[in-house]
Amino acid sequence: MPSLAELWRRLLFFLGRNRLDRELQEEMRQHLEFKAQENLDFGMSQEEAGNEAARQFGNALLLKEKSRKARGFAALETITQDLRYGLRMLRKAPGFTAVAIITLALGIGVNTAIFSVVNTILLRPLPYRDSARIVHLWTTLPEFPNMQLTESASDFPVIRDGMQSFESMAAYREAKMNLTGRGEPEQLSAAVVSAEFLPLLGIQTIRGRTLDSQDGHGGNGKVVLLSYALWQRRFGGDTGIVGKGIILNQQPYTVVGILPRGFSFPNQTDILTPLSSVPEEQGQGENDVFVLAKLRPGVPLQKAQSELDTIAARLSKNHPDDDSGRKLEAVPLQTEITGHSRSMLLVLVGAVGLLLLMACVNVSNLILSRGLQRQREIATRAALGASRSRIVRQLLAESLLLSFLGGVLGLLLAIWGVDIFRVLAPAGIARIDELRIEPSLVWAALAISSLAGILSGLAPALHTARPDLNLALKERQSSAPATASRFPLRSFLIVSEVALALILLTGSGLMMQSLLRLLHVNSGIRTDHLLTMDLTLPQARYPGDNHLVLFAQRLMESLQQHPGIENVAITNSTLFRGSMHIAPVIIPGVTNERDIGNQAQEKSVTPDYFRCLGIHVVSGRTFSDRDVQGITRVAVINESLARRYWGSQSPLGKNVILGPNPEDSVQIIGVVADTRDTSLRVGPQPQVYVAFFQGSGAFSQKSSAGIHLLIRTASDPAALISDVRRQIWSQDKDLPITKVQTIAEAISESVSERRFQSLLLGAFAGLGLVLTLVGIYGVISYSVSQRMREIGIRLALGAQRGNVLQYVLREGAQLALLGVVTGLAGSLLAMRLLANQLFGIKATDPATLIFAALLMLAVALAASYIPARRATQVDPMIALRYE
Amino acid sequence: MPKASKNELLPGTLEMLILQTLTHRPLHGYAIARQIQQISDDVLQVEEGSLYPALQRLLVKGWVKAEWGTSTKNRRVRHYTLTSAGRKQLGIEAENFKRMIQAIARIMQTS
């Protein structure tokens, strides 16, 4: 085992090898001179003296070689030699080289690009200090299975003071705030944070100061930090803004600092303000916050979790009403942020992995074909004494050379691919904005290229380096034995390639059908000509529900005057964005408060909501303008809810309590059809609609009310947008209008991630098909060219051209069939991993499998057809003279 | 008729001999070869050239170092100097060699 110092010296010697060689030469020459001089002194003649000296010295050339070997990296020098030789061989076969390099570049390129994406999103630590130790705390309650709930602000100190495992904890809330006073009003995403928030994440401001514990406690007035993006976009990067005032939610705030570029935690944050400076929701004391915590160094998550269990148990004992069965759960921030993209990315990794294998298989086959042509060369080398391992090394050096050349091209492809990914990727993928072209891409390409080089080169090298010397060295024998069936390795490679391609094909087929089925699922809503937008009404201007109701009534009245508008409705819930309001459902005499699972999605809507969305009324009536505050509160339920609690009986006139207080009782006046309006994926949920004019329920963001405007238009909705804006601003010029889109666009956006994934998988499957096509074509053409003589003899002996065609096609078909059978089995195994991402289709869907298999066979036959056709056009006379 | 042949060196001993010749003072290549031949009364016939691969090995191992200097005849020659690591190595090799020679000697005596 050489020491490090020795390796270092070897390296130095290697780098200075030219100088060392000169010195050695000089030294040896001197030695001979000394010796000759001595011989002269003994009385030899000049010539004798020189010869004698040389004789005693030995073979100077060999000795120099030995000296070089003694000090150098013998392996390194052989490798250089191998590479030089390899390069020469590749240059001699430019066609082969080009095809192999392009094939490898495709495989390496897509893998490098996807690796880079996975590295950015899943592997790389979040850009916060000690991010691996940051966790998010969630509450879970048995009434709300599978949901992560926020903590109440009053519990925050209890948890903080009870935990030994955390070095710090921070609370934050997300809010929408309206920026007014300069230009158009704009709705900003605010993070409302406790003083520990920025230190916990290790974030400092780049201008001005950060938040301190005095902020928000009256002393400094209301203060705010701006995100870098907002600072640039809205204030032109003007440093003078620090210390100046801006108007948020109709109240003055002082800008005290600018956040660093790229910081947008938790969610596209534009501004950061201290927790205590935002007025809390009036009336109810509950004030929910998200909680971040940082584990002490070296403390494992399990230890923190067991401490949390103890605290949760104490909390449920202290508040048996709200908190029974409460659990606290610590989730690593990284898992939480990137968790939902994980399965999608892993599927893509699987797909590109298959592609790389296929590219390697293709190149293996190419090398193998060439290996057969080169058998005489190899045999000559073996006969001259090259060891098998030496020949394998030489051949591997060639395939590595190919794969590195492919890697360079692949790297360019990957750079391009990463760009495409970033542009096409739906906004929902976390951390996608961190994705950029960076040096790690080069390392990834290098690693993947090495893998590809070995994968594609090893089998052919081992195979080729074992030539039968006698056979190979005889001229006529060199090209004789070459049907694919007599070369099981080649057949094996093609069969596995077909199988891999089939797996890709079924995977992408299933994903695409899922997407189509999802898009065609009946949402229960008429989706054409329906315009939607979000409005945020700050509490400072609209302090109570009656203000909100008044605003809504006036706005709807003015909009309904417009000839292009058929219907207008307002609701407190968004559509197709995956979020919903959940209310516990208590039905006197049927359920009791503590029953698990008694919950429904609650929406408050204006009377025209059902007509506007085209939701079918099953029985009873919907809301009217007379259902206002002060009279009996009424509700409309959907069929799912009706069926669940009343079965076949009519629920009309029955009472339901939505929430913990008996005052939240509402009377059911109607039943409407089920809808899928949260997400197409989620089946109909029990839903209860309450009257917006009896209580909007819109103050969900504490300091402002978010409402959702729905407009059914007679013609193109886009043409009405500016009119609608004008109407809204004539009611309140400081109101930001966001998310202006049609319902069709909202639906399309809700499936964007899935569409993106299907698109990529489809592209990969297409690439896989092309690779297979080329692969089979290569093998069959090669086999035909090797059998020219045989085919010629057959034709000369009277075989029909049709027979020859059949004969060649059969060979391709046999291989393809074997591959398809293997691929089907592989698909059945692999698709189980995909099962949880499918919608409306089983992973074992026979139609998809059969279609994919037939497509594969068709491609295989098409690939064999061209060489088969060429075989039939063989002129027997020429074929017999072939070679 | 049996005769005592001018033996080639046992493999590996050349390096030890080189180290040994360098214990007292730095020498250049030719001088090393001369010294080995002279001290062994010409019994050890070194193929003189094979000195150089051996010297390269010793350089790589860090047991000797080489410097260009001037010889007594005022010519530019390369001197080899024993390093402290080389001195230690010589100790080890000499010890091993002694043990081996003694063992061989004992076998030769008893038979």
Side-chain angles (χ1 to χ4, degrees):
Chain A
M1 192 54 203
S3 68
L4 219 59
E6 184 186 330
L7 283 177
W8 176 238
R9 276 191 294 272
R10 273 184 197 270
L11 187 66
L12 287 182
F13 285 174
F14 179 74
L15 294 176
R17 62 187 180 281
N18 290 336
R19 187 177 50 83
L20 288 172
D21 276 351
R22 273 199 311 277
E23 287 183 357
L24 189 67
Q25 173 102 16
E26 167 69 11
E27 216 177 347
M28 286 178 166
R29 199 182 50 75
Q30 259 178 24
H31 186 117
L32 287 170
E33 262 173 39
F34 281 136
K35 188 83 190 176
Q37 185 61 44
E38 200 170 280
N39 289 344
L40 270 181
D41 295 349
F42 272 108
M44 292 186 192
S45 74
Q46 190 85 30
E47 195 190 343
E48 252 181 326
N51 286 345
E52 180 60 17
R55 197 185 57 75
Q56 283 189 5
F57 191 78
N59 181 345
L61 202 65
L62 191 66
L63 286 166
K64 252 187 268 174
E65 189 63 34
K66 271 189 182 165
S67 306
R68 233 178 264 141
K69 212 165 165 182
R71 62 153 192 260
F73 292 103
L76 200 65
E77 282 175 25
T78 359
I79 288 173
T80 330
Q81 211 179 14
D82 283 351
L83 288 180
R84 209 172 300 139
Y85 181 73
L87 212 53
R88 208 157 58 218
M89 291 308 287
L90 294 184
R91 218 175 311 144
K92 267 167 53 184
F96 157 81
T97 308
V99 172
I101 287 179
I102 290 171
T103 308
L104 284 169
L106 283 176
I108 294 167
V110 291
N111 273 275
T112 306
I114 293 295
F115 168 80
S116 173
V117 171
V118 167
N119 183 39
T120 304
I121 295 178
L122 295 186
L123 304 180
R124 190 178 332 139
L126 295 168
Y128 311 125
R129 190 196 296 152
D130 304 319
S131 59
R133 290 195 272 126
I134 304 177
V135 296
H136 221 251
L137 296 192
W138 293 105
T139 280
T140 55
L141 286 172
E143 293 97 310
F144 300 99
N146 301 323
M147 295 191 75
Q148 293 179 315
L149 309 173
T150 48
E151 316 299 340
S152 73
S154 59
D155 288 343
F156 179 73
V158 180
I159 301 171
R160 185 183 55 200
D161 300 341
M163 288 296 294
Q164 302 296 316
S165 308
F166 295 145
E167 66 177 36
S168 67
M169 266 172 68
Y172 71 92
R173 271 206 319 260
E174 293 176 47
K176 298 290 179 202
M177 294 177 99
N178 295 349
L179 174 66
T180 49
R182 303 169 173 229
E184 278 193 3
E186 183 176 351
Q187 186 192 66
L188 302 181
S189 297
V192 188
V193 304
S194 69
E196 303 90 346
F197 181 83
L198 286 176
L200 188 149
L201 294 173
I203 299 293
Q204 261 140 15
T205 48
I206 55 165
R207 295 275 191 291
R209 64 175 177 86
T210 183
L211 300 177
D212 64 41
S213 50
Q214 296 307 304
D215 287 329
H217 290 282
N220 299 326
K222 291 183 187 302
V223 298
V224 64
L225 300 178
L226 305 183
S227 76
Y228 187 88
L230 180 72
W231 181 49
Q232 292 294 329
R233 170 163 55 82
R234 190 79 195 209
F235 303 101
D238 171 21
T239 326
I241 189 71
V242 176
K244 297 250 172 66
I246 57 172
I247 305 290
L248 292 169
N249 281 359
Q250 316 295 328
Q251 298 189 330
Y253 281 71
T254 309
V255 176
V256 295
I258 311 290
L259 291 163
R261 185 183 204 138
F263 179 80
S264 64
F265 186 84
N267 196 6
Q268 309 297 329
T269 298
D270 297 310
I271 48 174
L272 212 69
T273 73
L275 196 55
S276 38
S277 74
V278 169
E280 300 183 355
E281 192 181 9
Q282 288 154 355
Q284 297 181 11
E286 281 299 284
N287 200 346
D288 284 354
V289 288
F290 297 102
V291 175
L292 280 180
K294 185 177 265 182
L295 291 165
R296 283 184 199 285
V299 173
L301 189 60
Q302 295 91 316
K303 180 152 179 287
Q305 186 58 58
S306 66
E307 267 191 89
L308 283 172
D309 292 344
T310 318
I311 293 174
R314 199 164 68 223
L315 286 173
S316 9
K317 213 160 81 192
N318 294 349
H319 310 277
D321 296 344
D322 302 332
D323 284 351
S324 93
R326 177 170 173 182
K327 291 257 185 301
L328 286 168
E329 187 189 10
V331 182
L333 193 60
Q334 177 122 16
T335 312
E336 184 165 300
I337 288 182
T338 58
H340 84 284
S341 304
R342 190 182 192 85
S343 51
M344 167 187 136
L345 288 175
L346 291 184
V347 167
L348 291 182
V349 168
V352 294
L354 291 180
L355 271 183
L356 183 66
L357 277 181
M358 293 177 57
C360 289
V361 165
N362 261 6
V363 173
S364 270
N365 250 326
L366 280 173
I367 297 178
L368 210 52
S369 306
R370 243 169 68 79
L372 294 174
Q373 288 162 9
R374 280 173 65 183
Q375 216 144 51
R376 267 161 46 78
E377 169 209 332
I378 308 262
T380 311
R381 293 162 130 259
L384 288 177
S387 67
R388 176 151 187 246
S389 71
R390 187 74 183 74
I391 294 176
V392 169
R393 217 174 334 140
Q394 160 68 45
L395 292 172
L396 265 185
E398 274 182 51
S399 61
L400 278 172
L401 202 59
L402 273 180
S403 74
F404 283 120
L405 292 173
V408 172
L409 196 59
L411 187 63
L412 298 178
L413 276 178
I415 288 172
W416 190 54
V418 166
D419 263 343
I420 290 187
F421 194 97
R422 198 176 36 199
V423 171
L424 292 185
I429 297 180
R431 304 186 76 189
I432 194 77
D433 49 336
E434 289 175 42
L435 181 63
R436 46 186 61 94
I437 291 147
E438 50 188 6
S440 72
L441 216 62
V442 177
W443 298 115
L446 193 68
I448 295 167
S449 305
S450 320
L451 182 70
I454 292 171
L455 276 181
S456 58
L458 196 57
L462 289 177
H463 192 261
T464 315
R466 195 180 32 200
D468 181 332
L469 293 186
N470 277 328
L471 261 179
L473 286 174
K474 280 186 211 146
E475 176 78 28
R476 296 298 314 170
Q477 296 287 354
S478 64
S479 65
T483 65
S485 55
R486 265 179 258 166
F487 279 92
L489 182 57
R490 294 165 63 76
S491 309
F492 169 78
L493 289 176
I494 275 303
V495 166
S496 48
E497 180 165 31
V498 170
L500 293 171
L502 188 62
I503 294 174
L504 259 183
L505 209 56
T506 45
S508 84
L510 287 172
M511 290 303 282
M512 266 185 225
Q513 286 189 73
S514 294
L515 178 65
L516 286 181
R517 285 179 198 210
L518 192 58
L519 285 174
H520 285 114
V521 81
N522 182 10
S523 64
I525 289 172
R526 227 186 94 197
T527 53
D528 60 296
H529 296 98
L530 192 54
L531 188 67
T532 78
M533 58 195 73
D534 292 356
L535 301 176
T536 307
L537 293 89
Q539 205 174 27
R541 185 168 288 188
Y542 302 90
D545 236 15
N546 41 350
H547 297 82
L548 215 61
V549 167
L550 200 64
F551 169 82
Q553 274 169 336
R554 284 208 193 127
L555 178 62
M556 292 203 297
E557 262 168 39
S558 75
L559 284 175
Q560 252 143 6
Q561 305 295 317
H562 196 289
I565 292 176
E566 288 183 354
N567 275 308
V568 182
I570 284 176
T571 165
N572 67 339
S573 305
T574 56
L575 294 170
F576 301 109
R577 286 195 218 148
S579 64
M580 53 187 163
H581 297 274
I582 295 270
V585 176
I586 301 149
I587 298 159
V590 180
T591 66
N592 78 56
E593 200 179 330
R594 285 283 152 239
D595 273 354
I596 292 172
N598 290 324
Q599 44 178 320
Q601 191 184 338
E602 184 187 0
K603 260 177 202 280
S604 86
V605 301
T606 54
D608 264 357
Y609 181 82
F610 302 100
R611 199 172 320 142
C612 189
L613 291 186
I615 298 172
H616 177 62
V617 180
V618 178
S619 64
R621 66 173 179 94
T622 58
F623 305 120
S624 76
D625 290 340
R626 289 184 300 280
D627 295 318
V628 291
Q629 258 158 350
I631 66 163
T632 316
R633 294 187 64 194
V634 289
V636 172
I637 61 173
N638 72 349
E639 286 182 286
S640 289
L641 190 70
R643 205 162 359 171
R644 191 199 280 184
Y645 296 109
W646 288 278
S648 53
Q649 289 175 329
S650 168
L652 299 181
K654 298 283 196 318
N655 279 320
V656 178
I657 306 171
L658 302 170
N661 309 316
E663 307 89 75
D664 293 329
S665 173
V666 291
Q667 189 183 36
I668 297 170
I669 53 165
V671 177
V672 294
D674 284 343
T675 56
R676 293 171 180 247
D677 60 5
T678 318
S679 141
L680 290 178
R681 244 198 112 118
V682 180
Q685 304 279 307
Q687 270 180 325
V688 50
Y689 300 89
V690 296
F692 189 86
F693 293 148
Q694 291 187 323
S696 71
F699 276 107
S700 60
Q701 293 161 355
K702 325 291 175 184
S703 62
S704 57
I707 61 172
H708 199 57
L709 187 62
L710 298 155
I711 299 167
R712 165 82 55 196
T713 62
S715 53
D716 178 17
L720 286 173
I721 292 174
S722 59
D723 286 1
V724 173
R725 274 177 195 274
R726 241 193 330 272
Q727 291 288 350
I728 294 170
W729 282 335
S730 75
Q731 298 284 320
D732 181 344
K733 69 171 172 45
D734 288 337
L735 221 50
I737 303 164
T738 50
K739 275 280 188 198
V740 183
Q741 56 184 183
T742 63
I743 277 290
E745 283 164 351
I747 290 174
S748 163
E749 197 172 289
S750 76
V751 298
S752 60
E753 203 161 313
R754 182 175 279 275
R755 179 181 316 111
F756 179 60
Q757 186 183 15
S758 302
L759 190 80
L760 280 184
L761 271 185
F764 292 158
L767 208 55
L769 269 186
V770 172
L771 283 181
T772 321
L773 193 83
V774 173
I776 295 178
Y777 172 78
V779 166
I780 302 295
S781 328
Y782 182 75
S783 145
V784 166
S785 73
Q786 293 295 298
R787 281 184 296 168
M788 277 304 186
R789 261 160 35 93
E790 177 198 331
I791 291 168
I793 293 172
R794 281 172 186 260
L795 287 171
L797 292 178
Q800 293 299 305
R801 301 217 175 243
N803 292 345
V804 171
L805 188 75
Q806 242 179 31
Y807 171 67
V808 177
L809 279 181
R810 195 184 308 134
E811 186 185 330
Q814 270 169 358
L815 291 179
L817 209 58
L818 206 56
V820 162
V821 171
T822 322
L824 282 178
S827 292
L828 288 178
L829 283 175
M831 290 315 129
R832 277 197 285 184
L833 304 175
L834 208 61
N836 65 346
Q837 302 197 39
L838 299 180
F839 178 87
I841 189 165
K842 276 211 201 103
T844 54
D845 182 58
T848 309
L849 289 175
I850 290 170
F851 178 76
L854 289 179
L855 182 60
M856 204 66 239
L857 282 176
V859 163
L861 282 182
S864 321
Y865 181 75
I866 304 168
R869 191 86 200 129
R870 205 183 307 136
T872 63
Q873 282 153 3
V874 164
D875 179 338
M877 288 320 290
I878 293 173
L880 287 172
R881 266 187 259 122
Y882 191 72
E883 287 208 355
Chain B
M1 177 183 149
K3 64 172 187 182
S5 55
K6 277 191 175 179
N7 270 324
E8 289 189 4
L9 286 177
L10 288 167
T13 48
L14 177 59
E15 291 173 19
M16 181 178 72
L17 294 180
I18 295 174
L19 291 176
Q20 179 64 37
T21 57
L22 292 175
T23 43
H24 300 300
R25 60 203 160 98
L27 292 171
H28 55 80
Y30 180 66
I32 296 173
R34 281 288 310 268
Q35 195 139 358
I36 291 175
Q37 241 155 317
Q38 276 175 1
I39 295 178
S40 72
D41 284 337
D42 285 339
V43 172
L44 294 178
Q45 198 65 276
V46 183
E47 187 192 47
E48 290 176 17
S50 64
L51 206 57
Y52 293 93
L55 280 168
Q56 298 285 339
R57 260 194 303 280
L58 294 176
L59 280 172
V60 159
K61 293 284 186 195
W63 294 336
V64 301
K65 44 182 210 250
E67 268 159 338
W68 286 95
T70 26
S71 75
T72 45
K73 287 170 191 162
N74 223 10
R75 299 184 56 168
R76 226 171 83 82
V77 290
R78 191 138 89 143
H79 286 292
Y80 292 89
T81 316
L82 199 61
T83 63
S84 57
R87 210 170 284 278
K88 220 187 285 169
Q89 181 65 23
L90 178 62
I92 296 167
E93 288 195 13
E95 183 60 34
N96 285 345
F97 185 71
K98 210 166 80 193
R99 267 213 307 272
M100 191 176 71
I101 292 296
Q102 281 169 352
I104 294 172
R106 270 200 298 278
I107 295 168
M108 299 305 287
Q109 276 162 9
T110 51
S111 50

